[in-house]
Amino acid sequence: MAKIGRLGIGLLLGILAAAVLFPVCFAVTGAITSQWELEEYLAPVLGGGSGMAKWRLLPLAPTLRSLVELLLDSPQFFAMFWNSIKITACVLAGQALFGVPAAWGIARYAFPGRRLVLTLCAVLMLMPFQVLMFPEYLVLDGLKLLDTHWAVILPAVFSTYPVFLMYRFFESIPEAVLEAARIDGAGHVQTFLKIGLPLGMPGIMSSMMLNFLDSWNMIEQPMTFLKTRSLWPLSLFLPEIGLADAGVGFAAAGMMLLPALLLFFLGQDYLEQGIAAAAVKE
Protein backbone atom coordinates (compact mmCIF):
# COMPACT_ATOMS: atom_id res chain seq x y z
CA MET A 1 0.00 0.00 0.00
CA ALA A 2 2.84 2.38 0.82
CA LYS A 3 4.38 1.77 -2.61
CA ILE A 4 1.04 2.43 -4.30
CA GLY A 5 0.68 5.64 -2.31
CA ARG A 6 4.13 6.84 -3.34
CA LEU A 7 3.36 5.94 -6.94
CA GLY A 8 0.12 7.92 -6.79
CA ILE A 9 1.87 10.94 -5.30
CA GLY A 10 4.60 10.72 -7.91
CA LEU A 11 2.02 10.53 -10.69
CA LEU A 12 0.14 13.53 -9.32
CA LEU A 13 3.34 15.58 -9.00
CA GLY A 14 4.31 14.58 -12.54
CA ILE A 15 0.97 15.81 -13.87
CA LEU A 16 1.31 19.10 -11.99
CA ALA A 17 4.89 19.54 -13.24
CA ALA A 18 3.75 18.91 -16.81
CA ALA A 19 1.00 21.51 -16.40
CA VAL A 20 3.51 24.06 -15.10
CA LEU A 21 6.04 23.35 -17.86
CA PHE A 22 3.50 23.32 -20.68
CA PRO A 23 3.56 27.14 -21.25
CA VAL A 24 7.38 27.00 -21.48
CA CYS A 25 7.26 24.16 -24.00
CA PHE A 26 4.51 26.03 -25.86
CA ALA A 27 6.71 29.14 -26.18
CA VAL A 28 9.80 27.18 -27.23
CA THR A 29 7.86 25.20 -29.84
CA GLY A 30 6.23 28.35 -31.16
CA ALA A 31 9.60 30.06 -31.55
CA ILE A 32 10.79 27.37 -34.00
CA THR A 33 7.48 26.92 -35.83
CA SER A 34 7.02 28.32 -39.35
CA GLN A 35 4.74 31.32 -39.72
CA TRP A 36 2.33 29.46 -42.02
CA GLU A 37 1.92 26.74 -39.38
CA LEU A 38 1.24 29.30 -36.67
CA GLU A 39 -1.37 31.01 -38.81
CA GLU A 40 -3.05 27.67 -39.46
CA TYR A 41 -3.01 26.61 -35.81
CA LEU A 42 -3.89 29.94 -34.17
CA ALA A 43 -6.23 31.54 -36.70
CA PRO A 44 -9.36 30.70 -34.64
CA VAL A 45 -7.85 32.57 -31.66
CA LEU A 46 -5.82 35.43 -33.12
CA GLY A 47 -7.16 35.75 -36.63
CA GLY A 48 -10.90 35.68 -36.14
CA GLY A 49 -11.22 32.30 -37.87
CA SER A 50 -13.74 29.61 -37.12
CA GLY A 51 -13.28 26.28 -35.42
CA MET A 52 -10.91 25.27 -32.66
CA ALA A 53 -7.26 26.22 -32.30
CA LYS A 54 -4.79 23.33 -32.44
CA TRP A 55 -1.15 22.75 -31.65
CA ARG A 56 1.64 20.28 -32.37
CA LEU A 57 4.35 19.38 -29.88
CA LEU A 58 6.85 19.26 -32.76
CA PRO A 59 6.46 21.58 -35.77
CA LEU A 60 6.25 20.12 -39.25
CA ALA A 61 8.91 22.48 -40.59
CA PRO A 62 11.18 23.75 -37.77
CA THR A 63 12.89 27.05 -38.46
CA LEU A 64 14.91 29.73 -36.66
CA ARG A 65 13.59 32.50 -38.87
CA SER A 66 11.51 34.09 -36.10
CA LEU A 67 14.46 34.21 -33.73
CA VAL A 68 16.72 35.70 -36.41
CA GLU A 69 14.09 38.30 -37.27
CA LEU A 70 13.71 39.21 -33.61
CA LEU A 71 17.45 39.60 -33.03
CA LEU A 72 18.37 41.30 -36.31
CA ASP A 73 15.29 43.18 -37.47
CA SER A 74 13.35 44.25 -34.34
CA PRO A 75 14.82 47.48 -32.90
CA GLN A 76 11.69 47.95 -30.81
CA PHE A 77 12.48 44.69 -28.99
CA PHE A 78 15.96 45.86 -28.00
CA ALA A 79 14.68 49.28 -26.89
CA MET A 80 12.15 47.60 -24.62
CA PHE A 81 14.76 45.11 -23.44
CA TRP A 82 17.09 47.86 -22.24
CA ASN A 83 14.16 49.68 -20.65
CA SER A 84 13.46 46.52 -18.64
CA ILE A 85 17.13 46.27 -17.66
CA LYS A 86 17.14 49.90 -16.51
CA ILE A 87 13.92 49.62 -14.51
CA THR A 88 14.87 46.33 -12.88
CA ALA A 89 18.41 47.46 -11.98
CA CYS A 90 17.16 50.72 -10.44
CA VAL A 91 14.47 48.91 -8.44
CA LEU A 92 16.95 46.39 -7.02
CA ALA A 93 19.51 49.10 -6.22
CA GLY A 94 16.85 51.18 -4.45
CA GLN A 95 15.60 48.22 -2.44
CA ALA A 96 19.17 47.39 -1.39
CA LEU A 97 19.75 51.01 -0.35
CA PHE A 98 16.50 51.55 1.55
CA GLY A 99 14.92 48.16 2.16
CA VAL A 100 17.89 46.38 3.76
CA PRO A 101 18.54 49.02 6.48
CA ALA A 102 14.79 49.31 7.11
CA ALA A 103 14.47 45.55 7.61
CA TRP A 104 17.50 45.55 9.94
CA GLY A 105 16.10 48.40 12.00
CA ILE A 106 12.70 46.76 12.43
CA ALA A 107 14.24 43.38 13.27
CA ARG A 108 16.95 44.43 15.72
CA TYR A 109 15.82 47.66 17.42
CA ALA A 110 12.99 48.07 19.90
CA PHE A 111 11.15 51.36 19.37
CA PRO A 112 7.61 52.59 20.05
CA GLY A 113 5.22 51.40 17.36
CA ARG A 114 7.57 48.70 16.05
CA ARG A 115 4.81 46.12 16.00
CA LEU A 116 2.50 48.54 14.21
CA VAL A 117 5.14 49.26 11.56
CA LEU A 118 5.64 45.54 10.94
CA THR A 119 1.89 44.98 10.69
CA LEU A 120 1.60 47.88 8.25
CA CYS A 121 4.36 46.35 6.11
CA ALA A 122 2.48 43.05 6.01
CA VAL A 123 -0.83 44.74 5.13
CA LEU A 124 0.71 46.81 2.33
CA MET A 125 2.50 43.71 1.05
CA LEU A 126 -0.84 41.90 0.69
CA MET A 127 -2.57 44.74 -1.16
CA PRO A 128 -2.76 44.23 -4.94
CA PHE A 129 -1.69 46.97 -7.31
CA GLN A 130 -5.32 47.70 -8.23
CA VAL A 131 -5.98 48.94 -4.68
CA LEU A 132 -3.01 51.32 -4.62
CA MET A 133 -3.13 52.33 -8.28
CA PHE A 134 -5.23 55.48 -7.89
CA PRO A 135 -3.35 56.91 -4.84
CA GLU A 136 -0.03 56.19 -6.53
CA TYR A 137 -1.24 57.85 -9.72
CA LEU A 138 -2.23 61.00 -7.85
CA VAL A 139 1.08 61.17 -5.96
CA LEU A 140 3.14 60.61 -9.09
CA ASP A 141 1.08 63.17 -10.98
CA GLY A 142 1.68 65.70 -8.21
CA LEU A 143 5.43 65.02 -8.41
CA LYS A 144 5.36 65.39 -12.23
CA LEU A 145 6.77 61.89 -12.63
CA LEU A 146 4.06 60.34 -14.79
CA ASP A 147 5.26 59.02 -18.13
CA THR A 148 8.82 58.61 -16.84
CA HIS A 149 10.61 55.49 -15.71
CA TRP A 150 10.64 56.88 -12.17
CA ALA A 151 6.87 56.40 -12.05
CA VAL A 152 7.47 52.66 -12.21
CA ILE A 153 10.73 52.56 -10.25
CA LEU A 154 9.90 54.56 -7.13
CA PRO A 155 6.77 52.65 -5.99
CA ALA A 156 8.67 49.39 -6.45
CA VAL A 157 11.73 50.69 -4.56
CA PHE A 158 9.61 51.45 -1.49
CA SER A 159 7.62 48.22 -1.64
CA THR A 160 7.25 46.62 1.78
CA TYR A 161 7.59 43.05 0.51
CA PRO A 162 11.43 42.93 0.54
CA VAL A 163 11.45 44.61 3.96
CA PHE A 164 9.10 42.00 5.38
CA LEU A 165 11.08 39.15 3.82
CA MET A 166 14.52 40.34 4.95
CA TYR A 167 13.15 41.10 8.41
CA ARG A 168 12.62 37.38 8.93
CA PHE A 169 16.26 36.59 8.29
CA PHE A 170 17.65 39.48 10.33
CA GLU A 171 15.41 38.54 13.24
CA SER A 172 16.81 34.99 13.23
CA ILE A 173 20.36 36.20 13.96
CA PRO A 174 21.20 35.16 17.55
CA GLU A 175 21.32 38.07 19.96
CA ALA A 176 24.45 36.57 21.54
CA VAL A 177 26.37 37.21 18.31
CA LEU A 178 25.37 40.87 18.28
CA GLU A 179 26.10 41.24 21.97
CA ALA A 180 29.60 39.84 21.43
CA ALA A 181 30.19 42.39 18.67
CA ARG A 182 29.06 45.23 20.95
CA ILE A 183 31.36 44.00 23.72
CA ASP A 184 34.24 44.10 21.24
CA GLY A 185 33.47 47.77 20.63
CA ALA A 186 31.48 47.57 17.40
CA GLY A 187 29.04 50.41 16.89
CA HIS A 188 25.62 50.22 15.25
CA VAL A 189 26.93 50.71 11.72
CA GLN A 190 29.79 48.26 12.18
CA THR A 191 27.45 45.65 13.64
CA PHE A 192 25.14 46.05 10.66
CA LEU A 193 27.95 45.87 8.08
CA LYS A 194 30.11 43.19 9.71
CA ILE A 195 27.45 40.98 11.31
CA GLY A 196 24.01 41.79 9.91
CA LEU A 197 24.82 41.80 6.20
CA PRO A 198 26.91 38.58 6.11
CA LEU A 199 24.52 36.57 8.27
CA GLY A 200 21.44 38.01 6.56
CA MET A 201 22.81 37.53 3.04
CA PRO A 202 20.53 34.54 2.26
CA GLY A 203 17.50 36.71 3.00
CA ILE A 204 18.88 39.64 1.01
CA MET A 205 19.67 37.43 -1.99
CA SER A 206 16.30 35.69 -1.95
CA SER A 207 14.55 39.06 -1.70
CA MET A 208 16.56 40.49 -4.60
CA MET A 209 15.81 37.44 -6.76
CA LEU A 210 12.09 37.48 -6.08
CA ASN A 211 11.96 41.21 -6.73
CA PHE A 212 13.96 40.79 -9.94
CA LEU A 213 11.27 38.44 -11.21
CA ASP A 214 8.55 40.83 -10.12
CA SER A 215 10.19 43.89 -11.70
CA TRP A 216 11.17 42.07 -14.89
CA ASN A 217 7.63 40.80 -15.48
CA MET A 218 5.55 43.78 -14.31
CA ILE A 219 2.79 44.74 -16.75
CA GLU A 220 0.09 46.73 -14.95
CA GLN A 221 2.39 49.45 -13.57
CA PRO A 222 3.98 50.44 -16.92
CA MET A 223 0.61 50.19 -18.66
CA THR A 224 -0.83 52.63 -16.12
CA PHE A 225 2.01 55.10 -15.68
CA LEU A 226 3.82 55.06 -19.05
CA LYS A 227 2.12 56.48 -22.13
CA THR A 228 5.14 56.99 -24.39
CA ARG A 229 5.89 53.78 -26.25
CA SER A 230 9.64 54.38 -26.27
CA LEU A 231 9.60 54.07 -22.46
CA TRP A 232 7.80 50.73 -22.36
CA PRO A 233 9.57 47.69 -20.87
CA LEU A 234 9.82 44.33 -22.58
CA SER A 235 6.78 42.99 -20.73
CA LEU A 236 4.60 45.23 -22.94
CA PHE A 237 6.11 43.90 -26.18
CA LEU A 238 4.06 40.72 -26.16
CA PRO A 239 0.58 42.30 -25.88
CA GLU A 240 1.37 44.09 -29.16
CA ILE A 241 1.82 40.80 -31.04
CA GLY A 242 -0.81 39.63 -33.52
CA LEU A 243 -1.23 36.60 -35.77
CA ALA A 244 0.94 38.07 -38.55
CA ASP A 245 4.00 38.15 -36.27
CA ALA A 246 3.15 35.32 -33.89
CA GLY A 247 6.51 33.65 -34.50
CA VAL A 248 8.38 36.76 -33.39
CA GLY A 249 6.13 36.91 -30.34
CA PHE A 250 7.00 33.36 -29.33
CA ALA A 251 10.70 34.09 -29.86
CA ALA A 252 10.38 37.22 -27.69
CA ALA A 253 8.61 35.21 -24.99
CA GLY A 254 11.49 32.74 -24.97
CA MET A 255 14.08 35.51 -24.77
CA MET A 256 12.20 37.17 -21.94
CA LEU A 257 12.08 33.86 -20.10
CA LEU A 258 15.83 33.26 -20.28
CA PRO A 259 16.90 35.66 -17.46
CA ALA A 260 14.28 34.19 -15.14
CA LEU A 261 15.40 30.62 -15.88
CA LEU A 262 19.05 31.53 -15.43
CA LEU A 263 18.29 33.25 -12.14
CA PHE A 264 16.31 30.24 -10.94
CA PHE A 265 19.08 27.75 -11.67
CA LEU A 266 21.76 29.95 -10.10
CA GLY A 267 19.83 30.87 -6.98
CA GLN A 268 17.29 28.12 -6.42
CA ASP A 269 18.33 27.63 -2.79
CA TYR A 270 17.97 31.34 -2.02
CA LEU A 271 14.55 31.44 -3.67
CA GLU A 272 13.34 28.46 -1.64
CA GLN A 273 14.58 30.05 1.58
CA GLY A 274 12.83 33.32 0.75
CA ILE A 275 9.53 31.65 -0.08
CA ALA A 276 9.70 29.55 3.10
CA ALA A 277 10.49 32.60 5.24
CA ALA A 278 7.62 34.59 3.75
CA ALA A 279 5.24 31.73 4.49
CA VAL A 280 6.03 31.63 8.21
CA LYS A 281 3.28 33.25 10.24
CA GLU A 282 4.11 35.89 12.78
Side-chain angles (χ1 to χ4, degrees):
M1 292 296 294
K3 184 178 291 186
I4 296 177
R6 289 195 296 269
L7 181 62
I9 294 175
L11 180 61
L12 177 61
L13 293 177
I15 294 174
L16 293 176
V20 171
L21 291 175
F22 177 76
V24 179
C25 297
F26 189 82
V28 173
T29 303
I32 60 174
T33 301
S34 301
Q35 182 61 32
W36 65 268
E37 281 190 79
L38 292 174
E39 292 180 0
E40 178 184 348
Y41 297 156
L42 302 178
V45 178
L46 299 177
S50 59
M52 298 288 292
K54 57 183 179 180
W55 194 255
R56 295 178 62 91
L57 292 179
L58 295 176
L60 295 175
T63 178
L64 296 178
R65 181 176 179 178
S66 297
L67 183 60
V68 172
E69 182 180 350
L70 178 71
L71 296 178
L72 300 181
D73 195 29
S74 300
Q76 183 185 13
F77 170 81
F78 285 100
M80 290 184 168
F81 180 85
W82 289 114
N83 286 338
S84 290
I85 292 291
K86 174 185 175 181
I87 291 172
T88 303
C90 289
V91 168
L92 295 183
Q95 288 176 351
L97 183 62
F98 297 103
V100 175
W104 173 260
I106 296 174
R108 306 312 312 187
Y109 294 100
F111 55 87
R114 174 176 175 269
R115 192 74 178 182
L116 178 62
V117 171
L118 184 60
T119 302
L120 183 61
C121 287
V123 171
L124 291 175
M125 179 185 69
L126 296 175
M127 285 188 177
F129 172 70
Q130 291 82 354
V131 175
L132 301 174
M133 177 175 62
F134 186 61
E136 287 183 4
Y137 188 94
L138 293 178
V139 171
L140 293 170
D141 184 45
L143 295 175
K144 308 299 181 184
L145 293 177
L146 286 178
D147 205 25
T148 69
H149 282 151
W150 291 110
V152 180
I153 293 170
L154 288 180
V157 165
F158 295 102
S159 170
T160 59
Y161 176 70
V163 175
F164 185 82
L165 182 59
M166 289 183 287
Y167 156 82
R168 296 287 187 182
F169 287 86
F170 286 141
E171 189 185 37
S172 65
I173 298 175
E175 181 63 29
V177 176
L178 304 180
E179 186 63 30
R182 287 191 287 266
I183 292 175
D184 288 340
H188 295 294
V189 176
Q190 287 180 310
T191 302
F192 171 63
L193 295 177
K194 301 294 185 179
I195 305 295
L197 289 184
L199 295 182
M201 190 55 65
I204 297 173
M205 292 298 297
S206 62
S207 173
M208 293 297 107
M209 290 180 182
L210 290 172
N211 280 283
F212 171 87
L213 298 176
D214 185 54
S215 301
W216 184 259
N217 296 313
M218 66 171 60
I219 293 180
E220 294 173 318
Q221 293 89 334
M223 287 184 67
T224 303
F225 301 140
L226 301 179
K227 304 303 179 185
T228 304
R229 296 172 64 91
S230 61
L231 298 175
W232 285 2
L234 188 57
S235 56
L236 296 187
F237 181 79
L238 298 180
E240 297 280 296
I241 297 298
L243 182 60
D245 44 12
V248 174
F250 280 113
M255 294 295 292
M256 187 172 181
L257 188 62
L258 281 179
L261 289 177
L262 181 63
L263 185 70
F264 175 79
F265 287 120
L266 292 178
Q268 182 177 359
D269 292 339
Y270 288 126
L271 286 172
E272 291 175 354
Q273 292 177 33
I275 294 171
V280 177
K281 292 185 178 180
E282 183 70 17

